[in-house]
Every structure is written in structure tokens, then in C-alpha cells.
Amino acid sequence: MRTSLALLLLTSGCAAKSCQRADVDRSSSSAGSWSFDLEGCTSLKLRGAKIGDAGAKALAEALKTNGELTTLHLGHNAIEAEGAAALAAALVSNVALTSLHLVGNAIREEGARALAEALKANAVLTSLDLWGDVTIGPEGAKALAAALETSALTSLHLSGCAINDEGAKALAHALMGNGGALTTLDLGHNAIGPEGAAALAEALMSNVALTSLLLRGNKILAEGATALAAALKNNHRLTSLNLGSNAIEAEGAKALAAALNTSALTSLHLSGCAINDEGARALSEVLANGGALTTLDLGHNAIGREGAEALATALMANDVLTSLLLRGNWLRDAGARALAQAFGALTSLDLGSNAINDEGAIALIEAHKTNSALTSLLLKGNSITYSRTYSVGVDFETELAEALKAASLQERRSKCDLILDKLTATAGERVAAEN
């Protein structure tokens, strides 16, 4: 019955309309109260409108009888527990809203608890974003966890909500009961340590729904990464794992590498994890054997020439990885030359901010000017610039991007040759100036 009603609303023939405050605000300045008319809107963005609890209550009243609005953005509106409770009450009867964004407010544990209770009765809302609300804390996370098994949520974002290990363990416990319909869970920037990571890892052993787990900016360390790696060997549903800005170091990278061949992961983000060349080599050894990984982010990891050479060797044997991010490492020209020899299946390669000079850029472009697979080569933030002779009205990054997306291989080669001529001339002028 509920599914049929949702399908009826989605196929009713109403044209989608994205609305702003001016489209819906019917408030009277003289009366000093908020009033909203949501008719005709399928999406509403009120980010930073300062509506507070009073405005949230007015919106809640409108939502109770609205059957069109599916997405509501209320980020950074100074909404607190009272306003969240009003919105929660509206969710009990609303049969249209599928996505609610309350980022950067201050709904506190009480507001989270009210929303959690509403989720138990609401069969339509699939996405809830409470990002950046530090007032929610572990108790708020516990309340939301208790609602997961019976709610319709497929996506829950609690990044920066100060839930720590206690909140992570509560959510993990809910996931062990399969976590209802949840496929995406964002717990970034929550001071979660090895203990919380271990609890989540245990949940992944039995959970068959979650496909994306974001834990960036926590404190899981190598111990937490090792626990998650062990779970990945037995989990065949999780396809995306983000552990960026967690100091898992080479030890954690090695543990994850050992799990890649048997896991379902297609996307692994380890930017800012201090894995260095040792960790890069461990991951490279596994990549050389294939696996399912299509996206690998190793940015800001102090990876140098040795790590680049190992990755290059792996790419020559790997025909699955399409996107490699190495921004903010220490590759220099030697690392760039090594990667220039590796084609693989890459369509996107990010080497920004790696102290690469003209020599490294020339090697990369020369190698890839006839490789039609690579359509994005990012070199911004390196020491690559045209000389004054060519720089007027010309941007190197823009020109390179256009060359790699040329309609034909002949056009691609011609445009790359033009760039190479300019870089070679620039490099020559630089050498002459230094002498």
C-alpha cells in the first residue's frame, strides 16, 4: 500500500520544480510570523535562511498536508530541538518527502530522538543528512540507530556529529541486524577510534545491505584499518570505503591491500593516511593481480619515486582501475616519468601538487598523446608554466584538458604536440636562464 502510494506520487505527471525562499515564503513582516506555501515545489532550498525553530514549525505545518515536495534543504538555519521535533511530527503523516537535509543546525539529542521516532512510522524518507551538528552526540546516534531496522532510510549522514566510539558502536549494533535498508553511512569526523572501527567491522561481517561506508577524518589508526580489512574479506556488498585523513600508516594500508582481491570494493579512498612508499608498494602488488577496484585515492601520503614506480608497474598489468588520485605527494619528475610508461585502463589521473616540472609534464603528455583512454590528466599546482612567449591568453591546464578530450585521435595528437612544443621551448629558456 505504502509503495503503491509512493509510486503514484512519483508518476502523477507533475513537472519537477526546484524552489527557493522567494517562491514559497508567504510570511507577513507586520505579523512577525512565518508562513510557507509549498504548492508546485518538488525541491526546496532554504540553506542559511535563518528561519530558526519558528520557521521550522511553519514549514512542518505545510508539510503535513503537502504531497509534492520530495527534497528539503534546511542547512545552517539555527534550528534546534523544538524545530526538529515539529519537522519530525510532520514526517509521521507526510507521504512525499524522500530527502531531508538539516546540516549545520543544533537539534541536540532531543531533536535526533524525535526524528528517530518519526522514522519508525515514516515509510517514504530515504535520505537524512545531519552533517556538522555537534550537539547530536552519542545519545542522538543511539536513538537514530534504534530506528534503522524499521525505517526506509537508505542514506544516513552523521559526519561531524560528535558521536565518538559510543555512537559508532550503537550504529554498528543496528547494522548487525542488517540495518534495515541502509546502503550509505557517513560517520566522518566523529573522533571514532579503533574500538568504534572494530565494532563497525564486526557489523560488516553479517550486514548484507551497506554498500558505502565513510569514515574520513577519524582516529581509527592501523588497528581500526586492520579490523575493517578482516571484515572486507567476508563482506561481498560494500563497494566504497573512505578512510581519508586517518593515520592508518603503512601497516593499515598493508592490511587493506591483503583484503582487496576477495572484497567487493570498487572505490577506496586513503588520502592523508600517512601510508608513504611502503603502503603504496603493498597496494601496488595487489593491483597488479587485478581485483575489482576502479577508483583509488592515495593523495597526500608522502609517496615518492619508489611508490610511483610500484604503482606504474601495477598499472601495466591492471585493466580494471580507471581513476587514480595521487595529488599532494612527492612524485617529482622521476615519479612522473615512471607513471608516463603506464597506461592500463586509466581514464583519469590526478598528479596535482607533486613538484613536477616541465620535464615530467613532457614525459606524461608525450606518452599519453596517443592513448585515447586517458581523458583527464590533472597537473595543477606543479611547477609547469608556459614561458612569456606563449602564456598570454593561454592556460596550460585548460589547453591540456581540451587536448585530451579531442573528438579524434588525430586531433588529440595534434593538440598535444602543440603543448609539447611550448613546454619544450619553455624548458629550454629556463635552462638557458639558469646558465
Side-chain angles (χ1 to χ4, degrees):
M1 179 67 180
R2 286 173 170 173
T3 304
S4 300
L5 180 58
L7 287 172
L8 178 63
L9 289 165
L10 289 172
T11 58
S12 61
C14 297
K17 180 182 178 183
S18 181
C19 296
Q20 306 288 335
R21 177 175 175 175
D23 301 311
V24 300
D25 192 352
R26 303 293 182 267
S27 306
S28 169
S29 56
S30 59
S33 59
W34 293 90
S35 177
F36 296 98
D37 181 1
L38 305 180
E39 186 177 354
C41 296
T42 54
S43 174
L44 176 59
K45 294 182 179 180
L46 290 177
R47 181 183 175 91
K50 300 179 181 179
I51 66 172
D53 283 344
K57 289 179 181 179
L59 264 175
E61 286 302 312
L63 283 171
K64 287 179 180 178
T65 55
N66 180 274
E68 298 172 275
L69 195 71
T70 59
T71 303
L72 179 57
H73 293 266
L74 295 177
H76 304 283
N77 266 295
I79 296 171
E80 298 185 3
E82 195 175 339
L87 291 165
L91 289 177
V92 174
S93 58
N94 183 280
V95 292
L97 199 69
T98 59
S99 182
L100 177 59
H101 302 259
L102 285 167
V103 304
N105 285 292
I107 68 170
R108 298 189 174 88
E109 172 197 333
E110 296 85 352
R113 193 177 298 280
L115 288 168
E117 287 302 312
L119 288 174
K120 295 175 183 178
N122 181 292
V124 181
L125 196 76
T126 57
S127 179
L128 178 61
D129 190 350
L130 301 176
W131 179 90
D133 189 340
V134 297
T135 68
I136 290 175
E139 294 303 319
K142 288 178 183 178
L144 290 164
L148 286 183
E149 191 169 351
T150 55
S151 82
L153 280 188
T154 59
S155 180
L156 177 60
H157 297 267
L158 294 175
S159 180
C161 288
I163 71 168
N164 62 49
D165 281 341
E166 191 177 351
K169 285 191 283 187
L171 288 160
H173 181 74
L175 290 174
M176 289 177 72
N178 288 330
L182 205 65
T183 59
T184 298
L185 179 59
D186 182 358
L187 301 180
H189 305 283
N190 271 299
I192 296 170
E195 190 177 343
L200 289 165
E202 186 179 356
L204 289 177
M205 294 282 197
S206 59
N207 183 278
V208 294
L210 202 68
T211 59
S212 179
L213 177 60
L214 297 89
L215 288 169
R216 64 193 179 281
N218 283 294
K219 301 176 181 179
I220 70 168
L221 306 179
E223 183 183 343
T226 300
L228 288 166
L232 289 175
K233 293 177 182 178
N234 298 291
N235 180 294
H236 303 292
R237 288 289 295 172
L238 197 76
T239 57
S240 179
L241 178 62
N242 189 334
L243 300 180
S245 299
N246 276 282
I248 68 170
E249 301 182 333
E251 182 184 346
K254 288 178 181 178
L256 290 165
L260 286 183
N261 278 340
T262 55
S263 81
L265 281 188
T266 59
S267 179
L268 178 60
H269 296 263
L270 298 177
S271 178
C273 287
I275 71 169
N276 61 50
D277 282 338
E278 189 179 354
R281 283 197 301 268
L283 289 162
S284 297
E285 289 174 8
V286 178
L287 287 175
N289 296 319
L293 213 61
T294 59
T295 297
L296 178 60
D297 183 358
L298 300 180
H300 305 281
N301 271 299
I303 297 170
R305 176 182 57 80
E306 290 183 16
E309 289 175 350
L311 287 164
T313 300
L315 288 173
M316 286 188 275
N318 184 292
D319 60 357
V320 179
L321 195 73
T322 57
S323 179
L324 177 61
L325 296 89
L326 290 169
R327 174 175 295 274
N329 283 293
W330 300 344
L331 303 186
R332 306 185 189 281
D333 284 343
R337 285 195 301 270
L339 288 165
Q341 305 307 311
F343 290 84
L346 284 186
T347 58
S348 177
L349 177 60
D350 186 350
L351 300 179
S353 302
N354 266 290
I356 297 171
N357 293 313
D358 298 329
E359 183 185 345
I362 290 171
L364 286 161
I365 297 169
E366 184 67 51
H368 289 288
K369 70 180 183 181
T370 56
N371 172 22
S372 59
L374 193 75
T375 57
S376 177
L377 174 59
L378 302 178
L379 294 170
K380 193 170 185 178
N382 288 296
S383 302
I384 308 165
T385 56
Y386 291 148
S387 71
R388 291 184 180 179
T389 308
Y390 307 106
S391 62
V392 179
V394 178
D395 177 72
F396 166 71
E397 284 82 13
T398 301
E399 199 165 23
L400 178 58
E402 291 176 353
L404 295 180
K405 292 181 180 178
S408 68
L409 190 58
Q410 182 178 356
E411 182 186 358
R412 177 190 179 105
R413 186 185 298 114
S414 176
K415 288 186 174 182
C416 283
D417 281 338
L418 181 60
I419 295 171
L420 287 168
D421 287 343
K422 294 177 181 179
L423 287 176
T424 301
T426 301
E429 290 177 10
R430 187 171 296 168
V431 171
E434 290 173 354
N435 294 332

